[in-house]
Amino acid sequence: MAIRTYSDDPILGIDLGTTNSCAAIIDEAGKVQLIPYKDGSFTIPSVYAVNDRGIELIGQEAKRQWQLNPRNTIYAAKRLIGRSSTDEVVTAMKDTVAYRMMADDNGDDDVIIECADRYCRPADVSAQILNKIRTVASDYLQKPIHRAVVTVPAYFNDRQRQTVKDAGLQIDLDIVRIINEPTSAALAYGLNKSFNGNVLVYDMGGGTFDVSVIEVREGNVFEVKATGGDIFLGGLDFDNALIRSVLCDFVEKHAIDLAEDPVAMQRIRDMAERVKIDLSSRDSAMFNIPFVALDASGMPLNIELNLTRDWLNELVSPLIDHSLEIVERVLTDSGLRPNEIDEVLLIGGQTRMPLIQERIVKMFGRQPSKGINPDEAVAIGAALYGQTLESDSPVKLQLLDVIPMGIGIERADGRMQVIFPRNSATPNAKAMTATTSRNNQETLCMRIYQGESPTAQENELLGEFLFSGISPAPAGKAQVELTFHINIEGILSMSALDLSSGKRMETSVKIKGS
Ligand code: AMP
């Protein structure tokens, strides 16, 4: 029997994660239904592969064969979204993944991934994963899915958000709204409950870390006070620390660098994650990989290590320290002290690590909330949010979010003129007046950046906006009013008005961006 959903054309809530994705929907009774995948699991691995017969595999099928086919198995593509090939994140990833990345020849220098005999952009991989999630949901609900709310890390910039929207367009999935992952988790926790207070969401999944402070008021009012994060900090980095240590040990014992062997590396990667997860529930675990290499005389070599939780804790504590520094900054930005936080929500699989929980308890002097599932809360919040967007929704929501990093323009001296400082509320709009520097100048060009550096070019270039149609006038006389709009999704758009003619000017983007 088909599941009856709240609407005939339901909005699917999708948590598009770095390592795993999850989806949910609201049923006719207003209850959340998580979409089951395989073996009763509610998460779908965010993995895409092409096998040696040229067949595309997505989800569990792709993950199952990645030890044998590491070069053509793409995981963690979310970390590459909206990045150029020279980005330091891309350079760092080249050392940890077996698939190949290079510059796209589209003139933007965006990163593309080589997979079997084809090249795909990170947005293409995300589109395939979104499509798989939609198919699984559609089969389960027995109705087509055309619309979705998709969550993104709060620390995603404008370009990355826009790329996720484009991924939806590619597969004809209308992403009706993008919402920040921690905000979504807070909705799962507090929507339709009589909770009043400040919630801190510590969200560490497979690839990204976010923290948000959200004031929740009765009547479904959610106001994000501040947000921060690191889109290159997550469970994968814990795995990488463990992998590096195992590789060093092997070099010391056998003078062989396994990093050169993609199949061995994939086996090590699998085992590293398994041992890390085991050490969340046990004091010690065996790291065993038989026949990982051959010695000079052709004899097989094994990895056999007994690892302890204390050892892992010491190894990864710099990563946790870094996350807590970000928490402190976000608390300062929100103007709150730890004892003014009424509830701490731990989201993302990596927060199952006992050391993370201990450090949070120490910082806040309270246990984190037990009323929320770290793997499912984000998708549930997205589904609830989707329901509130329907015109006939019985649930009304007032949501104010913020932008994670400042947005501004490049001044003539190369410095960043901040238009919206970080943590500015969304939606938002600001206007400024600009003028021309040459007689009869017809166009104005402006480079817009997002980031916290005072030097514009050290930030992320969102786009080079071109405004054309200025009425002829001597230099410095034309008056153009530029308006910067940020929508509720944290996405920027621009408009311009020629004040002397009162005419709206044409706006186009020369480089990437919205
Ligand atoms: P998510 O993106 O929320 O699914 O989080 C996935 C990350 O959580 C992966 O890096 C997993 O290795 C990690 N993870 C899942 N369960 C545990 C656990 N029990 N202990 C530590 N890390 C875990």
Side-chain angles (χ1 to χ4, degrees):
M1 196 187 75
I3 303 287
R4 294 178 74 91
T5 47
Y6 167 73
S7 131
D8 284 339
D9 181 19
I11 300 179
L12 187 66
I14 301 179
D15 169 8
L16 180 65
T18 310
T19 49
N20 294 302
S21 296
C22 182
I25 205 114
I26 307 299
D27 71 14
E28 218 181 27
K31 284 219 159 41
V32 174
Q33 292 260 356
L34 283 157
I35 305 295
Y37 182 46
K38 291 201 163 137
D39 317 320
S41 153
F42 293 116
T43 56
I44 300 181
S46 306
V47 184
Y48 169 87
V50 177
N51 71 12
D52 51 12
R53 283 178 290 136
I55 296 170
E56 282 187 337
L57 305 169
I58 304 159
Q60 197 58 264
E61 287 84 4
K63 189 167 180 182
R64 210 176 294 131
Q65 55 83 68
W66 77 345
Q67 278 196 5
L68 298 173
N69 180 25
R71 279 236 187 280
N72 301 319
T73 302
I74 301 172
Y75 66 95
K78 183 173 165 186
R79 286 190 146 181
L80 298 168
I81 282 182
R83 293 190 185 276
S84 67
S85 63
T86 49
D87 190 305
E88 58 191 43
V89 165
V90 175
T91 311
M93 266 186 74
K94 281 184 178 158
D95 292 338
T96 63
V97 298
Y99 54 82
R100 278 185 282 246
M101 292 172 260
M102 59 276 304
D104 197 349
D105 56 11
N106 63 356
D108 277 354
D109 194 30
D110 285 339
V111 65
I112 50 162
I113 304 162
E114 191 184 331
C115 186
D117 55 351
R118 51 196 96 171
Y119 293 92
C120 39
R121 298 172 304 146
D124 302 335
V125 178
S126 297
Q128 293 306 323
I129 293 167
L130 284 172
N131 205 23
K132 174 79 180 181
I133 298 167
R134 170 175 53 186
T135 307
V136 170
S138 178
D139 289 350
Y140 175 66
L141 300 167
Q142 292 183 28
K143 59 178 77 167
I145 303 279
H146 306 107
R147 302 184 296 161
V149 167
V150 177
T151 64
V152 296
Y155 219 61
F156 254 21
N157 64 30
D158 172 280
R159 229 182 116 191
Q160 291 162 320
R161 288 164 195 266
Q162 196 63 55
T163 307
V164 172
K165 284 235 153 186
D166 292 346
L169 279 180
Q170 269 193 49
I171 54 161
D172 259 343
L173 178 69
D174 181 11
I175 299 183
V176 288
R177 220 36 96 67
I178 277 179
I179 175 174
N180 291 329
E181 287 160 8
T183 310
S184 191
L187 291 179
Y189 175 78
L191 199 72
N192 297 332
K193 315 247 167 72
S194 54
F195 175 83
N196 255 315
N198 298 313
V199 175
L200 182 133
V201 183
Y202 178 106
D203 178 0
M204 194 179 287
T208 57
F209 172 65
D210 275 334
V211 52
S212 292
V213 171
I214 303 164
E215 187 186 332
V216 182
R217 296 193 292 274
E218 241 173 286
N220 291 336
V221 182
F222 288 71
E223 186 177 348
V224 182
K225 294 287 180 193
T227 198
D230 184 339
I231 43 174
F232 212 60
L233 174 62
L236 286 170
D237 302 295
F238 289 61
D239 302 348
N240 287 339
L242 213 158
I243 291 165
R244 274 195 301 274
S245 173
V246 168
L247 291 181
C248 281
D249 182 74
F250 202 82
V251 170
E252 269 172 33
K253 284 181 182 150
H254 306 289
I256 296 176
D257 183 4
L258 294 172
E260 305 295 324
D261 177 348
V263 173
M265 279 303 287
Q266 206 54 49
R267 293 175 72 196
I268 294 170
R269 175 165 300 287
D270 263 0
M271 182 56 69
E273 186 182 17
R274 213 170 305 157
V275 165
K276 175 193 75 173
I277 291 175
D278 273 359
L279 290 174
S280 288
S281 53
R282 297 159 57 179
D283 288 335
S284 68
M286 289 303 293
F287 194 114
N288 276 347
I289 304 186
F291 307 145
V292 72
L294 297 175
D295 71 8
S297 63
M299 288 297 285
L301 296 170
N302 308 330
I303 302 178
E304 279 170 24
L305 298 165
N306 185 15
L307 303 179
T308 65
R309 185 191 283 184
D310 287 346
W311 173 85
L312 179 68
N313 284 351
E314 200 178 317
L315 186 74
V316 301
S317 74
L319 299 174
I320 302 177
D321 290 345
H322 175 48
S323 76
L324 294 176
E325 281 159 22
I326 297 172
V327 171
E328 274 170 17
R329 201 199 75 193
V330 170
L331 275 172
T332 309
D333 282 355
S334 69
L336 295 171
R337 290 186 298 275
N339 63 3
E340 291 173 290
I341 296 296
D342 302 293
E343 197 65 270
V344 179
L345 306 184
L346 296 185
I347 304 298
Q350 190 57 46
T351 63
R352 291 212 164 88
M353 184 180 192
L355 183 61
I356 292 187
Q357 298 177 10
E358 286 160 27
R359 298 284 305 270
I360 289 286
V361 170
K362 199 163 159 209
M363 187 169 197
F364 290 94
R366 59 163 52 243
Q367 290 292 333
S369 168
K370 295 265 183 284
I372 199 152
N373 179 313
D375 301 321
E376 297 161 3
V378 172
I380 291 174
L384 289 166
Y385 186 46
Q387 190 194 16
T388 69
L389 297 175
E390 303 279 16
S391 52
D392 59 348
S393 168
V395 183
K396 296 287 170 236
L397 166 72
Q398 196 185 330
L399 175 63
L400 280 177
D401 217 312
V402 297
I403 51 166
M405 289 157 275
I407 292 179
I409 55 177
E410 184 180 24
R411 293 195 329 202
D413 62 3
R415 294 182 70 77
M416 175 99 162
Q417 181 177 335
V418 177
I419 308 288
F420 298 102
R422 74 165 186 256
N423 292 320
S424 294
T426 62
N428 211 325
K430 273 191 186 163
M432 62 177 277
T433 310
T435 188
T436 48
S437 56
R438 286 175 281 111
N439 290 337
N440 300 325
Q441 186 177 328
E442 287 177 2
T443 57
L444 260 184
C445 187
M446 195 158 277
R447 285 172 158 248
I448 302 189
Y449 290 86
Q450 184 162 24
E452 292 297 306
S453 170
T455 304
Q457 289 192 19
E458 285 173 7
N459 295 317
E460 184 75 38
L461 177 63
L462 298 183
E464 191 169 288
F465 286 79
L466 201 68
F467 306 100
S468 42
I470 306 174
S471 317
K477 282 276 179 270
Q479 293 274 298
V480 176
E481 187 185 74
L482 302 172
T483 309
F484 301 74
H485 311 263
I486 304 179
N487 69 8
I488 179 78
E489 301 171 299
I491 293 178
L492 177 77
S493 60
M494 302 273 313
S495 62
L497 190 70
D498 183 337
L499 290 177
S500 57
S501 67
K503 273 207 282 202
R504 204 146 275 294
M505 294 166 59
E506 209 169 287
T507 306
S508 59
V509 184
K510 259 173 64 178
I511 313 180
K512 36 197 102 149
S514 43

